[in-house]
Amino acid sequence: DQQVKQNSPSLSVQEGRISILNCDYTNSMFDYFLWYKKYPAEGPTFLISISSIKDKNEDGRFTVFLNKSAKHLSLHIVPSQPGDSAVYFCAASEYNFNKFYFGSGTKLNVKP
Amino acid sequence: ETGVTQSPTHLIKTRGQQVTLRCSSQSGHNTVSWYQQALGQGPQFIFQYYREEENGRGNFPPRFSGLQFPNYSSELNVNALELDDSALYLCASSSGQDRTNLDGYTFGSGTRLTVV
């Protein structure tokens, strides 16, 4: 009964191309979404977030899209760089709760 | 001192034993959350402490307990260890107990616990 799902365990992309990481959720009470990036032997680091009142948020090469009706969000990385190779987690939070529900992660490999 | 530090980095325990994991919060942060990340899964919320009081708990049994100290450092204690408790345990600190600073959660590198 995982409420946040990342159905692609891994993704391989050529340097310079677009990386698209997907995330689905089931809980309609979620209203805040975040993407975290994790390198081996390090803790997750915050990447980008989006509130449910928006459908897009952009920060440099990273853009997050939210489709509330489909309960789907995606992270676009353009252009992808080898240093982007890491595990990416999406996370969601309910209104008035301060804990995250995480997906199982997608391992991104950007090939030079 | 900046960042969240956790100790130890690795630990091996025998089933039935007790373990204490430690977390030192980032300077200025008064809230700490603990997560369990099993292999191949995302982190799962265990509980959160704000100003030394528990401020929310996930779906974990009572043998998982915690403490937060006046300097905002924290401990996670697990009694009667089971094989399934083997996981990476992550600590995250932030300032404030509400949702205004969700972007500001800072995670430590975690403690890898192996129960044999």
Side-chain angles (χ1 to χ4, degrees):
Chain A
D1 58 344
Q2 201 169 359
Q3 299 187 57
V4 177
K5 296 179 182 179
Q6 293 176 257
N7 293 318
S8 297
S10 63
L11 175 67
S12 188
V13 171
Q14 202 67 37
E15 182 180 4
R17 305 295 292 267
I18 184 171
S19 295
I20 300 176
L21 295 93
N22 294 303
C23 180
D24 297 295
Y25 62 95
T26 57
N27 188 343
S28 58
M29 300 300 291
F30 288 150
D31 71 337
Y32 201 81
F33 305 88
L34 307 92
W35 284 93
Y36 277 84
K37 178 178 176 180
K38 187 178 187 300
Y39 293 116
E42 294 183 14
T45 55
F46 169 75
L47 192 58
I48 193 169
S49 64
I50 187 166
S51 164
S52 60
I53 62 173
K54 295 185 176 181
D55 55 17
K56 177 183 174 181
N57 189 26
E58 191 171 353
D59 183 3
R61 297 186 297 114
F62 302 92
T63 303
V64 56
F65 295 92
L66 176 63
N67 183 334
K68 291 184 289 294
S69 59
K71 294 191 178 68
H72 177 84
L73 66 155
S74 61
L75 174 68
H76 292 210
I77 306 174
V78 182
S80 301
Q81 299 174 354
D84 296 330
S85 297
V87 177
Y88 289 78
F89 292 98
C90 68
S93 174
E94 289 182 51
Y95 177 77
N96 215 31
F97 284 87
N98 47 17
K99 67 178 183 181
F100 299 135
Y101 295 85
F102 282 86
S104 55
T106 296
K107 185 174 183 179
L108 174 66
N109 179 32
V110 180
K111 297 178 287 187
Chain B
E1 184 179 347
T2 59
V4 175
T5 55
Q6 293 187 242
S7 62
T9 55
H10 295 84
L11 197 54
I12 299 175
K13 287 286 191 177
T14 302
R15 188 171 50 182
Q17 284 188 313
Q18 179 268 342
V19 69
T20 298
L21 310 181
R22 293 180 173 82
C23 173
S24 177
S25 300
Q26 180 165 312
S27 178
H29 285 183
N30 54 15
T31 301
V32 64
S33 303
W34 285 90
Y35 286 80
Q36 180 197 66
Q37 185 180 4
L39 196 62
Q41 297 183 22
Q44 285 201 311
F45 177 76
I46 303 176
F47 43 57
Q48 183 183 86
Y49 279 81
Y50 170 69
R51 291 186 175 177
E52 304 176 59
E53 298 282 334
E54 188 176 288
N55 182 42
R57 188 178 182 92
N59 189 26
F60 281 80
R63 58 190 186 83
F64 285 78
S65 62
L67 279 175
Q68 187 182 30
F69 300 99
N71 66 354
Y72 303 131
S73 65
S74 174
E75 286 182 355
L76 164 65
N77 298 290
V78 187
N79 293 322
L81 283 167
E82 301 177 0
L83 297 179
D84 284 349
D85 295 334
S86 296
L88 179 69
Y89 288 84
L90 294 163
C91 165
S93 72
S94 62
S95 57
Q97 66 171 122
D98 59 19
R99 288 163 45 86
T100 58
N101 199 27
L102 285 179
D103 294 1
Y105 270 58
T106 302
F107 281 87
S109 301
T111 293
R112 173 74 62 187
L113 172 65
T114 302
V115 182
V116 297

